[in-house]
Amino acid sequence: MLKLVLALVALLVCSPAHADDFAGAVRALNADSFSDKLTAADTLAALGDGRAAAVFEAMADGRLYATADGTILIEQNGSYRDAVSGATVAASDAAAITVNNRLRGALRAAAGQLGLLNSDPVIRQQAAESMLATPNPDAADTVRKALAAETVPAIKALLSQAVARLDLADSDPAHRLSAIAQLAASSDPQVRGLLQPLADSDSDPQVKAAAQKAVSSIENRLGLIGIGVNIFQGISLGSVLLLAAIGLAVTFGVMGVINMAHGEMIMLGAYTTFVVQEAVRALLPPDYFGLYLMIAVPVAFVVTFAVGVLLERTVIRFLYGRPLETMLATWGISLMLQQLVRSLFGASNREVANPAWMTGGIELIGGFTLTYNRVVIILFCLAVLLALAAVLRWSRFGLFMRAVTQNRPMASAMGIPTGRVDAATFGLGSGIAGIAGVALSQIGNVSPNLGQGYIVDSFMVVVFGGVGSLWGTLVGALSLGLVNKLLEPYAGAMLGKILVLVAIILFIQKRPRGLFALKGRSVEG
């Protein structure tokens, strides 16, 4: 292994070998003994030819073959190509070149270090990331030489951190101090773990003090990052609660109906998304799969809108003014809808895949990642809120709805068809719940019990924000989401929810109409 590393260091100052030298060194890998193969690997690495990295990787994976005439081949997905020329060849008599664990480790180390010398920046960056993740003291000189020759700033930064990590184990206190000074600005929890042993028990007092200061600085920075993570997660949770509660705010605010089946409207929207996904997968080419979510949003709205109108016309309209009976009736409907879905789709969870444009995320400092699906849901819920606000503010239907909300007898006397407004309003609230189900299908599995996890939180958001107030629902959802996530690290998820519930109960005792109470003659009276 030491010979291999020394050879790699030497190749950084040597000129590239001729093609004949490379071909001969590759053929020598098919030696009889493992020690001869290791010597051949040393020789091949010393040539500094970038093609050697692929040869080493193939040999370490058991994909390097030799024919009867001595030609060395790399196997890839059942086909063979010449390790020297790269040409695809037939290989009926090829036999695999055997390796042992010692040789395999040396080959992988050589392949990784050769990557630092590759002309392709992508390969160099991958090699630098590998060196950073698994520091190898034997490769310290190689990494330093690569750092001196590197011109790409991002790769240079990775190599600088790799050198600093290697220097932490150096016997010279000056090197350890230099490494600590460089790593102190990091926000990586792994760096804190590397510095902690020096902060606890380094033999040099100056090094120990510097390590303790660096660890403290990193911990403070990670604490701030943790707060940022909790804020993002709180906003994300708040957006989910907003989507779940906004439809309930419409129905509860206009009609005063305690709709215990609201969660099942969310569930129906999620299952509609699943059905649309399977239909797109079966009927359209794979390149169009990402469009299924665009199709699912209006389809889920139409399906749940129709279900909501049907429920209002057949059950709800006979129970106005009797909240207890309404609550019991809608609870029974929720159980029926759950059983219907179990009969149609089964009790097991259904997976709804994220489209390609919602997969992945933006990685920030300290492991803080903004996932695309959460960011899209946050923006989507704000778009739904603004669209609903525009409908209520500027459309004829919105005018009728506001009139019925503020004074139902007067609205009826003015000729507004309150029955149709009630049906359309209940359908609108159910349709928005269906859209919420589309969004929730992107962050979890779809099951018959999906809506049950949001019904209580939805009612808390509506009551806390103010019954019938969209902006109160927005503030209430974001407030509850942030408070829940900020309390979780200290009180735990369950105790945090209990504390929030107690706080809302106390708040309602002082302000029964919530944060933003609607005003109207019937309300004020």
Side-chain angles (χ1 to χ4, degrees):
M1 183 63 184
L2 180 59
K3 290 176 62 181
L4 179 59
V5 174
L6 293 175
L8 286 169
V9 174
L11 73 86
L12 288 164
V13 294
C14 294
S15 59
H18 293 89
D20 291 342
D21 296 332
F22 178 78
V26 169
R27 291 192 185 95
L29 292 174
N30 189 29
D32 295 331
S33 66
F34 291 121
S35 60
D36 289 341
K37 292 176 182 178
L38 186 58
T39 301
D42 292 341
T43 303
L44 180 58
L47 297 178
D49 196 307
R51 293 173 293 176
V55 176
F56 288 150
E57 287 286 356
M59 189 172 179
D61 294 339
R63 297 183 292 104
L64 197 67
Y65 287 74
T67 62
D69 62 358
T71 303
I72 306 300
L73 306 176
I74 296 176
E75 184 271 334
Q76 185 71 38
N77 297 327
S79 62
Y80 297 85
R81 60 182 178 86
D82 193 303
V84 177
S85 66
T88 302
V89 297
S92 57
D93 61 341
I97 299 176
T98 58
V99 296
N100 58 11
N101 288 337
R102 180 190 174 198
L103 179 57
R104 186 177 290 108
L107 291 168
R108 293 197 187 282
Q113 295 177 51
L114 274 174
L116 297 175
L117 314 171
N118 198 287
S119 59
D120 187 347
V122 175
I123 296 178
R124 293 205 308 276
Q125 181 166 347
Q126 292 174 348
E129 290 172 348
S130 176
M131 290 292 174
L132 186 60
T134 56
N136 181 8
D138 294 334
D141 291 337
T142 303
V143 179
R144 287 191 179 91
K145 293 290 186 180
L147 174 61
E150 185 57 61
T151 57
V152 179
I155 303 176
K156 198 175 185 71
L158 291 173
L159 292 173
S160 298
Q161 289 193 39
V163 169
R165 289 193 179 192
L166 291 169
D167 284 344
L168 289 177
D170 198 285
S171 59
D172 188 349
H175 285 171
R176 297 202 299 278
L177 282 172
S178 176
I180 291 171
Q182 183 169 351
L183 294 175
S186 174
S187 299
D188 189 345
Q190 293 183 357
V191 173
R192 179 185 57 184
L194 291 172
L195 293 175
Q196 192 64 56
L198 278 69
D200 293 338
S201 58
D202 194 271
S203 57
D204 189 287
Q206 190 176 2
V207 173
K208 185 175 182 178
Q212 290 174 345
K213 183 178 179 181
V215 168
S216 177
S217 175
I218 293 174
E219 287 178 345
N220 292 336
R221 199 175 299 112
L222 289 175
L224 294 175
I225 293 172
I227 294 174
V229 171
N230 288 332
I231 290 175
F232 172 70
Q233 291 179 346
I235 294 174
S236 175
L237 175 61
S239 67
V240 171
L241 293 178
L242 176 61
L243 277 175
I246 190 172
L248 190 64
V250 173
T251 57
F252 193 23
V254 173
M255 295 178 289
V257 174
I258 303 176
N259 182 19
M260 298 301 294
H262 183 76
E264 278 53 55
M265 300 300 147
I266 297 174
M267 178 263 292
L268 289 178
Y271 272 99
T272 302
T273 307
F274 170 73
V275 172
V276 171
Q277 170 194 259
E278 296 304 303
V280 169
R281 184 175 283 162
L283 301 176
L284 297 181
D287 292 342
Y288 294 94
F289 177 75
L291 298 177
Y292 87 86
L293 199 60
M294 306 293 187
I295 302 173
V297 171
V299 173
F301 179 84
V302 170
V303 169
T304 50
F305 180 92
V307 173
V309 171
L310 178 63
L311 291 180
E312 198 280 335
R313 290 287 87 188
T314 57
V315 178
I316 305 298
R317 72 189 182 103
F318 300 108
L319 300 174
Y320 289 138
R322 295 187 287 175
L324 181 60
E325 287 88 341
T326 304
M327 183 174 65
L328 292 175
T330 53
W331 180 58
I333 291 170
S334 73
L335 296 179
M336 293 170 61
L337 290 174
Q338 289 181 42
Q339 189 57 46
L340 175 64
V341 168
R342 287 191 183 94
S343 300
L344 294 176
F345 298 96
S348 58
N349 293 347
R350 298 290 181 172
E351 181 182 1
V352 177
N354 290 134
W357 51 273
M358 284 183 67
T359 304
I362 305 171
E363 185 173 355
L364 304 180
I365 56 176
F368 181 12
T369 302
L370 295 176
T371 55
Y372 292 142
N373 58 349
R374 293 279 183 176
V375 172
V376 170
I377 288 174
I378 292 172
L379 298 177
F380 178 71
C381 83
L382 293 177
V384 170
L385 179 66
L386 293 175
L388 181 59
V391 169
L392 297 183
R393 177 66 179 83
W394 288 299
S395 71
R396 181 180 177 85
F397 169 70
L399 177 64
F400 287 175
M401 184 188 298
R402 285 184 284 122
V404 173
T405 301
Q406 294 175 11
N407 195 317
R408 178 181 292 271
M410 183 62 71
S412 179
M414 295 296 293
I416 295 176
T418 56
R420 293 182 183 178
V421 171
D422 288 340
T425 301
F426 199 89
L428 177 63
S430 300
I432 295 173
I435 294 177
V438 177
L440 293 176
S441 70
Q442 301 301 301
I443 57 176
N445 289 324
V446 177
S447 72
N449 299 320
L450 173 65
Q452 293 298 303
Y454 295 96
I455 185 65
V456 175
D457 288 338
S458 298
F459 273 107
M460 285 199 301
V461 167
V462 172
V463 173
F464 175 64
V467 176
S469 171
L470 293 183
W471 304 117
T473 304
L474 171 63
V475 174
L478 294 181
S479 299
L480 291 182
L482 286 170
V483 171
N484 269 312
K485 287 301 179 181
L486 292 175
L487 282 178
E488 275 185 13
Y490 308 101
M494 186 59 65
L495 182 56
K497 283 184 175 293
I498 294 173
L499 293 175
V500 170
L501 178 59
V502 171
I504 290 177
I505 293 173
L506 295 176
F507 175 81
I508 295 301
Q509 294 298 314
K510 296 292 184 182
R511 195 178 177 91
R513 296 179 184 173
L515 288 173
F516 299 89
L518 289 180
K519 294 182 179 181
R521 290 178 181 175
S522 62
V523 175
E524 292 170 350

